[in-house]
Each structure stands twice: as C-alpha cells, then as structure tokens.
Amino acid sequence: MTGGWWRDAVIYQVYLRSFADGTGDGVGDLAGLRGKLPYLAGLGVDALWITPWYPSPMADGGYDVADYRDIDPRFGTLADAGALLDEAHRHGLRVIVDIVPNHTSDRHPWFRAALAAGPGSPEREWYVFRDEPNDWRSVFGGPAWSRVPDGQWYLHLFDAAQPDLNWDHPDVRAEFLDVLRFWLDRGVDGFRIDVAHGLIKDPALPDLGLDHEGLVEPPDRSDHPHWDRPGVHEIFRSWRELARHYGEDRVFVAEAWVDSPQRLARYVRPDELHTAFNFDFLRCPWDAARLRSVIDSSVAALSAVDAPATWVLSNHDVTRHVTRYGGGLPRARAALLLMLALPGGAYLYQGEELGLAEVEDLPEEVLQDPTWERSGHTRRGRDGCRVPLPWSGAAPPFGFSTGTPWLPQPAHWAEQTVAAQENDPDSTLWLYRDALRIRKEHPAFGDGGLSWMDSPPEVLAFRREPGVVCVVNLGPVPVALPPHRKVLLASEPGDPGGELAPDSAVWLSA
Ligand code: GLC
C-alpha cells in the first residue's frame, strides 16, 4: 500500500531510563518524558519509539519483561502511560512501544510456573527446556543454556534472566496477540519488535559447530537453527492481521539482524510488518562506494515488496556514530544530511541531535550491561551509548535528574546540553531542527526514488525530485559543488561557496 504516515516518518528513539527523570531517583521515566514532549515536537520528529516500559528486574535494561500489561513503577503507572499517549498525540507525535516476544524475564509468572511444575509438565512447554544443552552461545557471551535445580536446562539466547519462549506453542501465540490488543486498545500507534528474527528455533536444536570460543559461526548460512527462520513470517502475518482491525495506521517495525536486504525484505512484505531497521546502513563504514552499494541494494530489495526503505545511524545497542565513523562531529553531521535525504523513513536515537559521542571511559564498577559479566569482562557492552542525556546546567546531572543519574555523565557534556545548544544556531541541535523542518516542507524528501549523479569516487551525489540535490564528500580533499540555485542546508556552518569540504554534506536546490 502507499501513502501511510510511516513510509517517510522520522521516528525518535526514547531510551526511557536515560531520557529524563521526573521523580528524582536517577532513572528516566514517563513523567520526565512527558515534560519533554514540547522539545520533541519542536525538534520536528513524527513519532517516538519508547524502549520497554514494563515491570522488569532490569537484568537487561527492561528487555527482560515480567508483565507485558503494566508499567514498571520506576517509570510510572498505566495511567501515566495513558496520559503520555494522549499528550503526545496532542503534540502531533505518534507513539510506538517496544514488544519483547523472544523471551520473558525469569520472574515472569510463566517461567516461575514452569520452574515449579517440573520436568515433563505442560508449563515447561512454554519455554525451551531440555535434559541436555547444545552448543549455542548467548549473544551476550557464554553458553545459551542454564541449569535449573532439578537438572534440566533452559535456552536463553541473551541473559540467563531472559529465558526464550517456545513459539511453536499455541499458548505463546495467543498470549502475544492478546498483549498486542491490550496496547492497541490503549492507543499506541505501533510496536517495535525486539529480536524479530529469533522467535523460531529448529526443533531438533542441532549444534552450530562453533569453535571452542563459541565466537565463530559459519558465515552466511541460510539455514541457521535460531536466526531468521522462515517460520517467523507466519507469526508476523497474524500480527498484521490483528492490527488491521485497528486501521492501517498502526504499524510494526522489525528489529531483524539478517544476512542481506533480500532477507530483510521478507519481513516487510505487504501482509507482514511495515518497516524494519536497516542495519546494513548502520553497520556500513564511512566509505562512499560501500554506502552507495548499501543504499542501492536496500532500495531495490524493499521496493520490490512495495515497502519503504528506512535508515538508522545509532541506537541503544551500538557505538554512537560520532565515535563509530572515527571522524568526530563533522562526519556525524554530514551523515545526518545523507540519511534524511534518502528515500523513505529514518530512525533517530536520543542524544544524536546533540552530537553526543560514545562515553568510552565509564569506570568498570558502574557498568550495567550484562555483556560485561557474561563475556568474562572482555566486552564492556553498550552502556557507553546509554548515558543519561544532558539537558542544562554546567555540571552533572545536567538537568536530567535532581538525583544521581544511573550512569555517570562526562563533565565535558556541559557544552553539549540542550540549553547550551539552543542559543547557538551553528549547533548540532539546530542542524537537526533545520534538516527536519526542510525535509517536512519540501516535496522532494521522504518516500520516492533517487537518481545518482556523476561524481568523484569519494563523493555521493544524488537528486530527489522535484529539484533537490544532496552531495556528501567522504574524501580527504574539497570538491566542487554541482551547479545549483541555492544551498538549502549545509552540515558545516557558513556558506560552503562553490566547494564542499571533506566530511561534509549539503542539500542544494537545483
Ligand atoms: C534487542 C535489544 C537489546 C536487547 C536484546 C535482548 O537486541 O535492542 O537491547 O538486549 O534485544 O532483548
């Protein structure tokens, strides 16, 4: 179908516990988020994606859900969630919530019941219990199996506190349809599906044949026993069918780490999900030829199923792109203009509008990502992109909280607070606002196609119709700009003149 709001939406990811704290306990919450809705509306995004807000022991930052139909008291109440949805809608912002179907928390009543009921019981069938483990590894490090006191083992592709559900069980399917209904009835505009590529396992649970470290998997295998199995699609068709009863503007976005754009496109066929994160784009280094190839293959694969492309540079699981690209702020600012000029929609991650870099020097004793422990202290994990946002003031907690933030903020963020950037038209915050405003106003942006223009090998240059040209210089020397009527926006302050500096980008009206 064409014309849905989600086909060219810019969706802002709120990592709730690090966004804004309204209660003073050092953890972001719904009260804090509500207070910042005017900021988000002013930024110019179309929708918010809020990371899990459910009751959770927080073994994995809320991706270990103990009750899918309530709000964690640290974040607020169901009434607060309802009020947030209403108020966001009044600001013209849609709200997508995170749904975590691959696993529950080990405190979820189902897992408690499965443990209590013992081997061979119907309750154990809700999860993946076996008498012997296989060689699968947890994404966070270490084995994917833990033993319970009666001797059986259960599967957890993530932390031991996140037992995998058995999606071959009809009760599991029925339960999630009901959970979706619960939130659709409360007015959410859609769901971000956590680990969408993981739900179905080969029932024979064959060994992967990993090396002794468990780190090397055979590359590009199409018959992986627990990732991207064909059986997941039937589940998502049933979800789409359900959402259709609520109208075509309730949407799903898949978190699916798969091998190729063609495999990704299978998740967004017309009777399945609406969009999927484009991790090929996110993973692509700062290299013109490689980016161009990812852009072309993404657009081709997705348009073949009539789905819009989407683009993403950062999220709560990866190193922030200011740091990842290795070029500091200029590359990140140029990457924004590239991303927002591409056909389709885009996902922003909180703090990227402030140009925040990864916090790479968090002391070991504050690290909270389970990856740190499970990898035997060899991988620090994802806390460095999850540090609470700096809103105002000259020192931590930078207006995030009246208490002590759950992760410490770097002192040098004083220059990058929202308040500091408000007053500086050359700031990254202003670049985001300008870019989002122009993107919304100008008919060339969003859904549609692109045509590449001739350019030197280290430059990306393409046209969007009517009349916009985006040029990005990824090389080490300045390049001449193509003929144009005016510069709509430049990633670096000041008029670029006839030349585009290294690590910068422009939108031209041509
Ligand atoms: C997804 C989430 C990540 C979480 C994992 C397990 O990848 O984005 O944060 O740790 O799923 O739920």
PDB file of all heavy atoms in Angstrom, residues 8-9 42 65 68 120 142 158 165 203 257 265 301 306 315 321 344 351 417 425 455:
ATOM      1  N   ASP A   8       7.439   7.668   5.299  1.00  0.00           N
ATOM      2  CA  ASP A   8       8.557   8.627   5.291  1.00  0.00           C
ATOM      3  C   ASP A   8       8.755   9.284   6.663  1.00  0.00           C
ATOM      4  O   ASP A   8       9.368  10.330   6.783  1.00  0.00           O
ATOM      5  CB  ASP A   8       8.347   9.701   4.217  1.00  0.00           C
ATOM      6  CG  ASP A   8       7.059  10.476   4.417  1.00  0.00           C
ATOM      7  OD1 ASP A   8       6.373  10.241   5.439  1.00  0.00           O
ATOM      8  OD2 ASP A   8       6.755  11.321   3.566  1.00  0.00           O
ATOM      9  N   ALA A   9       8.251   8.623   7.705  1.00  0.00           N
ATOM     10  CA  ALA A   9       8.317   9.216   9.040  1.00  0.00           C
ATOM     11  C   ALA A   9       9.743   9.245   9.581  1.00  0.00           C
ATOM     12  O   ALA A   9      10.556   8.372   9.288  1.00  0.00           O
ATOM     13  CB  ALA A   9       7.435   8.409   9.989  1.00  0.00           C
ATOM     14  N   GLY A  42       9.082  20.154  18.965  1.00  0.00           N
ATOM     15  CA  GLY A  42       9.846  21.254  18.382  1.00  0.00           C
ATOM     16  C   GLY A  42      11.014  20.783  17.534  1.00  0.00           C
ATOM     17  O   GLY A  42      11.445  21.459  16.594  1.00  0.00           O
ATOM     18  N   VAL A  65      11.111  -8.801  30.490  1.00  0.00           N
ATOM     19  CA  VAL A  65       9.785  -8.317  30.887  1.00  0.00           C
ATOM     20  C   VAL A  65       9.099  -9.311  31.827  1.00  0.00           C
ATOM     21  O   VAL A  65       8.970 -10.496  31.517  1.00  0.00           O
ATOM     22  CB  VAL A  65       8.902  -8.096  29.630  1.00  0.00           C
ATOM     23  CG1 VAL A  65       7.511  -7.620  30.033  1.00  0.00           C
ATOM     24  CG2 VAL A  65       9.559  -7.103  28.672  1.00  0.00           C
ATOM     25  N   TYR A  68       3.681  -8.053  30.725  1.00  0.00           N
ATOM     26  CA  TYR A  68       3.545  -7.291  29.473  1.00  0.00           C
ATOM     27  C   TYR A  68       2.376  -6.314  29.485  1.00  0.00           C
ATOM     28  O   TYR A  68       2.165  -5.614  28.513  1.00  0.00           O
ATOM     29  CB  TYR A  68       3.393  -8.255  28.279  1.00  0.00           C
ATOM     30  CG  TYR A  68       4.672  -9.024  27.980  1.00  0.00           C
ATOM     31  CD1 TYR A  68       4.972 -10.206  28.656  1.00  0.00           C
ATOM     32  CD2 TYR A  68       5.581  -8.559  27.032  1.00  0.00           C
ATOM     33  CE1 TYR A  68       6.139 -10.907  28.388  1.00  0.00           C
ATOM     34  CE2 TYR A  68       6.751  -9.247  26.756  1.00  0.00           C
ATOM     35  CZ  TYR A  68       7.024 -10.427  27.439  1.00  0.00           C
ATOM     36  OH  TYR A  68       8.182 -11.103  27.171  1.00  0.00           O
ATOM     37  N   GLY A 120       8.808 -32.277  32.197  1.00  0.00           N
ATOM     38  CA  GLY A 120       7.714 -33.016  31.574  1.00  0.00           C
ATOM     39  C   GLY A 120       6.356 -32.343  31.724  1.00  0.00           C
ATOM     40  O   GLY A 120       5.364 -32.798  31.156  1.00  0.00           O
ATOM     41  N   GLY A 142      29.136 -16.412  26.647  1.00  0.00           N
ATOM     42  CA  GLY A 142      28.868 -17.607  27.455  1.00  0.00           C
ATOM     43  C   GLY A 142      27.809 -18.489  26.812  1.00  0.00           C
ATOM     44  O   GLY A 142      27.247 -18.148  25.767  1.00  0.00           O
ATOM     45  N   PHE A 158      19.942 -14.687  25.159  1.00  0.00           N
ATOM     46  CA  PHE A 158      20.516 -13.467  25.734  1.00  0.00           C
ATOM     47  C   PHE A 158      20.941 -13.799  27.164  1.00  0.00           C
ATOM     48  O   PHE A 158      21.588 -14.809  27.390  1.00  0.00           O
ATOM     49  CB  PHE A 158      19.522 -12.304  25.589  1.00  0.00           C
ATOM     50  CG  PHE A 158      19.302 -11.954  24.125  1.00  0.00           C
ATOM     51  CD1 PHE A 158      18.324 -12.591  23.368  1.00  0.00           C
ATOM     52  CD2 PHE A 158      20.129 -11.040  23.495  1.00  0.00           C
ATOM     53  CE1 PHE A 158      18.161 -12.306  22.011  1.00  0.00           C
ATOM     54  CE2 PHE A 158      19.974 -10.753  22.136  1.00  0.00           C
ATOM     55  CZ  PHE A 158      18.984 -11.380  21.403  1.00  0.00           C
ATOM     56  N   LEU A 165      11.115 -18.041  24.869  1.00  0.00           N
ATOM     57  CA  LEU A 165       9.796 -18.670  24.777  1.00  0.00           C
ATOM     58  C   LEU A 165       9.782 -19.699  23.645  1.00  0.00           C
ATOM     59  O   LEU A 165      10.562 -19.611  22.698  1.00  0.00           O
ATOM     60  CB  LEU A 165       8.735 -17.602  24.513  1.00  0.00           C
ATOM     61  CG  LEU A 165       8.355 -16.753  25.728  1.00  0.00           C
ATOM     62  CD1 LEU A 165       7.639 -15.478  25.287  1.00  0.00           C
ATOM     63  CD2 LEU A 165       7.477 -17.551  26.702  1.00  0.00           C
ATOM     64  N   PRO A 203      13.397 -27.237  15.835  1.00  0.00           N
ATOM     65  CA  PRO A 203      13.011 -28.056  16.994  1.00  0.00           C
ATOM     66  C   PRO A 203      14.036 -29.135  17.333  1.00  0.00           C
ATOM     67  O   PRO A 203      14.098 -29.601  18.474  1.00  0.00           O
ATOM     68  CB  PRO A 203      11.680 -28.688  16.571  1.00  0.00           C
ATOM     69  CG  PRO A 203      11.448 -28.326  15.138  1.00  0.00           C
ATOM     70  CD  PRO A 203      12.433 -27.278  14.736  1.00  0.00           C
ATOM     71  N   TRP A 257      18.138  -8.767  12.594  1.00  0.00           N
ATOM     72  CA  TRP A 257      19.530  -8.760  12.127  1.00  0.00           C
ATOM     73  C   TRP A 257      19.655  -9.950  11.183  1.00  0.00           C
ATOM     74  O   TRP A 257      19.696 -11.102  11.618  1.00  0.00           O
ATOM     75  CB  TRP A 257      20.499  -8.882  13.301  1.00  0.00           C
ATOM     76  CG  TRP A 257      20.457  -7.738  14.270  1.00  0.00           C
ATOM     77  CD1 TRP A 257      19.599  -7.601  15.331  1.00  0.00           C
ATOM     78  CD2 TRP A 257      21.290  -6.563  14.284  1.00  0.00           C
ATOM     79  NE1 TRP A 257      19.853  -6.406  15.987  1.00  0.00           N
ATOM     80  CE2 TRP A 257      20.886  -5.757  15.372  1.00  0.00           C
ATOM     81  CE3 TRP A 257      22.347  -6.115  13.473  1.00  0.00           C
ATOM     82  CZ2 TRP A 257      21.493  -4.538  15.686  1.00  0.00           C
ATOM     83  CZ3 TRP A 257      22.946  -4.902  13.788  1.00  0.00           C
ATOM     84  CH2 TRP A 257      22.524  -4.125  14.887  1.00  0.00           C
ATOM     85  N   ALA A 265      13.775  -7.853   3.405  1.00  0.00           N
ATOM     86  CA  ALA A 265      12.540  -7.509   2.681  1.00  0.00           C
ATOM     87  C   ALA A 265      11.433  -8.522   2.956  1.00  0.00           C
ATOM     88  O   ALA A 265      10.240  -8.190   2.895  1.00  0.00           O
ATOM     89  CB  ALA A 265      12.820  -7.420   1.185  1.00  0.00           C
ATOM     90  N   ALA A 301      15.735  -3.953  -2.860  1.00  0.00           N
ATOM     91  CA  ALA A 301      15.076  -5.089  -2.213  1.00  0.00           C
ATOM     92  C   ALA A 301      13.743  -4.677  -1.593  1.00  0.00           C
ATOM     93  O   ALA A 301      12.762  -5.413  -1.652  1.00  0.00           O
ATOM     94  CB  ALA A 301      15.993  -5.682  -1.139  1.00  0.00           C
ATOM     95  N   ASP A 306       7.271  -3.362  -2.246  1.00  0.00           N
ATOM     96  CA  ASP A 306       6.500  -2.133  -2.021  1.00  0.00           C
ATOM     97  C   ASP A 306       6.574  -1.622  -0.581  1.00  0.00           C
ATOM     98  O   ASP A 306       5.630  -1.047  -0.049  1.00  0.00           O
ATOM     99  CB  ASP A 306       5.027  -2.313  -2.433  1.00  0.00           C
ATOM    100  CG  ASP A 306       4.315  -0.957  -2.537  1.00  0.00           C
ATOM    101  OD1 ASP A 306       5.015   0.048  -2.798  1.00  0.00           O
ATOM    102  OD2 ASP A 306       3.096  -0.902  -2.324  1.00  0.00           O
ATOM    103  N   ASN A 315      21.590   3.455  17.784  1.00  0.00           N
ATOM    104  CA  ASN A 315      20.536   3.034  18.710  1.00  0.00           C
ATOM    105  C   ASN A 315      21.198   2.638  20.030  1.00  0.00           C
ATOM    106  O   ASN A 315      22.407   2.838  20.186  1.00  0.00           O
ATOM    107  CB  ASN A 315      19.659   1.921  18.101  1.00  0.00           C
ATOM    108  CG  ASN A 315      20.432   0.630  17.867  1.00  0.00           C
ATOM    109  OD1 ASN A 315      21.344   0.292  18.623  1.00  0.00           O
ATOM    110  ND2 ASN A 315      20.076  -0.107  16.822  1.00  0.00           N
ATOM    111  N   HIS A 321      27.393   7.033  16.460  1.00  0.00           N
ATOM    112  CA  HIS A 321      28.107   7.172  15.185  1.00  0.00           C
ATOM    113  C   HIS A 321      29.111   8.307  15.157  1.00  0.00           C
ATOM    114  O   HIS A 321      30.024   8.287  14.345  1.00  0.00           O
ATOM    115  CB  HIS A 321      27.129   7.234  14.005  1.00  0.00           C
ATOM    116  CG  HIS A 321      26.153   8.361  14.023  1.00  0.00           C
ATOM    117  ND1 HIS A 321      24.975   8.300  14.716  1.00  0.00           N
ATOM    118  CD2 HIS A 321      26.173   9.564  13.430  1.00  0.00           C
ATOM    119  CE1 HIS A 321      24.311   9.438  14.545  1.00  0.00           C
ATOM    120  NE2 HIS A 321      25.015  10.220  13.768  1.00  0.00           N
ATOM    121  N   GLY A 344      12.389   7.343   1.834  1.00  0.00           N
ATOM    122  CA  GLY A 344      11.823   6.521   2.902  1.00  0.00           C
ATOM    123  C   GLY A 344      11.826   7.228   4.237  1.00  0.00           C
ATOM    124  O   GLY A 344      11.746   8.457   4.311  1.00  0.00           O
ATOM    125  N   GLY A 351      19.872  11.895  21.784  1.00  0.00           N
ATOM    126  CA  GLY A 351      21.229  12.384  22.028  1.00  0.00           C
ATOM    127  C   GLY A 351      22.022  12.592  20.753  1.00  0.00           C
ATOM    128  O   GLY A 351      22.989  13.341  20.746  1.00  0.00           O
ATOM    129  N   THR A 417      24.817  20.439  26.231  1.00  0.00           N
ATOM    130  CA  THR A 417      23.455  20.333  26.748  1.00  0.00           C
ATOM    131  C   THR A 417      22.469  20.959  25.755  1.00  0.00           C
ATOM    132  O   THR A 417      22.857  21.779  24.908  1.00  0.00           O
ATOM    133  CB  THR A 417      23.302  21.080  28.094  1.00  0.00           C
ATOM    134  OG1 THR A 417      23.543  22.470  27.863  1.00  0.00           O
ATOM    135  CG2 THR A 417      24.257  20.553  29.151  1.00  0.00           C
ATOM    136  N   PRO A 425      23.038  28.883  16.843  1.00  0.00           N
ATOM    137  CA  PRO A 425      22.477  28.439  15.560  1.00  0.00           C
ATOM    138  C   PRO A 425      23.409  27.503  14.779  1.00  0.00           C
ATOM    139  O   PRO A 425      22.956  26.807  13.880  1.00  0.00           O
ATOM    140  CB  PRO A 425      22.251  29.739  14.773  1.00  0.00           C
ATOM    141  CG  PRO A 425      22.550  30.856  15.692  1.00  0.00           C
ATOM    142  CD  PRO A 425      23.208  30.339  16.921  1.00  0.00           C
ATOM    143  N   SER A 455      29.961  11.787 -10.063  1.00  0.00           N
ATOM    144  CA  SER A 455      30.742  12.455  -9.013  1.00  0.00           C
ATOM    145  C   SER A 455      32.069  11.727  -8.853  1.00  0.00           C
ATOM    146  O   SER A 455      32.190  10.572  -9.260  1.00  0.00           O
ATOM    147  CB  SER A 455      29.965  12.445  -7.692  1.00  0.00           C
ATOM    148  OG  SER A 455      29.811  11.119  -7.232  1.00  0.00           O
TER     149      SER A 455
END
